[in-house]
Amino acid sequence: MTIDYTSRKNALISNLKEQAVDAALITDPSNIYYMTGFFADPHERYMSLFIDVESKETHLFLPALDKDAAEIADADHIIPISDEEDPFAIIKDTIKSDVKTMGIETNVVTVAHHNGLKGVFPEARFTDIQEALNLQRTFKSREDVDGMKEAVRIIETVLAEGLKTIKAGMTEAQLVAQFEYLMKVHGAAGPSFSTMVLAGEKAALPHGTPGDRTLENGDFLLIDFGVITHDRYCSDITRTFIIGEATDKQTDIYNIVKAATQAGVDAVKAGVPLKEFDIAARSVIESHGYGEYFNNRVGHGLGIEVHEAPSIHHLNEDVAKPGMLFTIEPGIYIPGYGGVRIEEEVYINESGEAEVLTTFPTELQTIQI
């Protein structure tokens, strides 16, 4: 896959010029990856990408142990920092430009990091560029969408094969292990977030934790998971099943959520407020008397991270535009009883229309054990 990282950096630089920002110092590993094609988790060590707005010159500061791996990075200079070195002294010796206004990600930079930067750039004013980065990453290219489709293909294959391994006596945690094994078998780098397998009454927990709960006949089985590919594209899909025979109430709740998901997807198009997608899905659930059991937003953006902009909620007045990619995932969660969530990934294409990337069937399926 060919990504034009220079164009990405130039787009950011253009935005920073409009804000009269002299330089940016990016520290979020995902943002560094977005701008350079190199990803590393520095753990407690130092890593940042310095971008000079006037010259467009880039410096990637990173742990010395990652120097060889960083040869793929689209950066003008790669500066390794050993464990015993002071990263801020290295930055001071390296960056000679006169920075008056420095852009940083204020929700990422620690107080200690900020203090270190003030020592390097004592005359600089620091300003937040998080919104600019978030906005740029909101809009996906067709190459990005192809990467996302690969992540979807893998996770849907994993789901289909993993369901076949379910047997009497299996626990939620054991099914998680099966799924995450299959992720690697089918070429994923790993899960894009903690795999969620919730049975019975635990399906009422939107962000529950799998454990030793055994899968039993009559249970809801809610599965919410995704993979991250080696190109760092994430997938996120939820399907809910019934183990054994579904009751009339289970079937009714399932069909309401299915209709809500479809209503949300059908509402997706460019030129309307993002809130309309949430309202369309939420209205279906409320009209059937289950509104109190759906108390979270209907979706979120995703890309090289599983949660990105935009946020799809009923108060978001931002207008939907081509290039946005997000989930539609309404649910009904009844404490002590169980719950249903059905999640699709949707892209607004170049024509302003919705493309659904997920393909796994949404019809109610039962699993026999």
Side-chain angles (χ1 to χ4, degrees), residues 206 278 282 293-299 312 329-331 333 341:
D278 182 293
R282 192 174 303 276
Y293 301 113
F294 177 37
N295 55 12
N296 54 282
R297 65 182 178 180
V298 83
I312 314 298
E329 48 180 305
Y333 313 100
R341 179 164 66 251

Side-chain angles (χ1 to χ4, degrees), residues 254-269:
Y254 186 93
N255 287 334
I256 292 168
V257 174
K258 180 177 181 291
T261 304
Q262 190 60 52
V265 171
D266 289 343
V268 173
K269 62 180 178 179

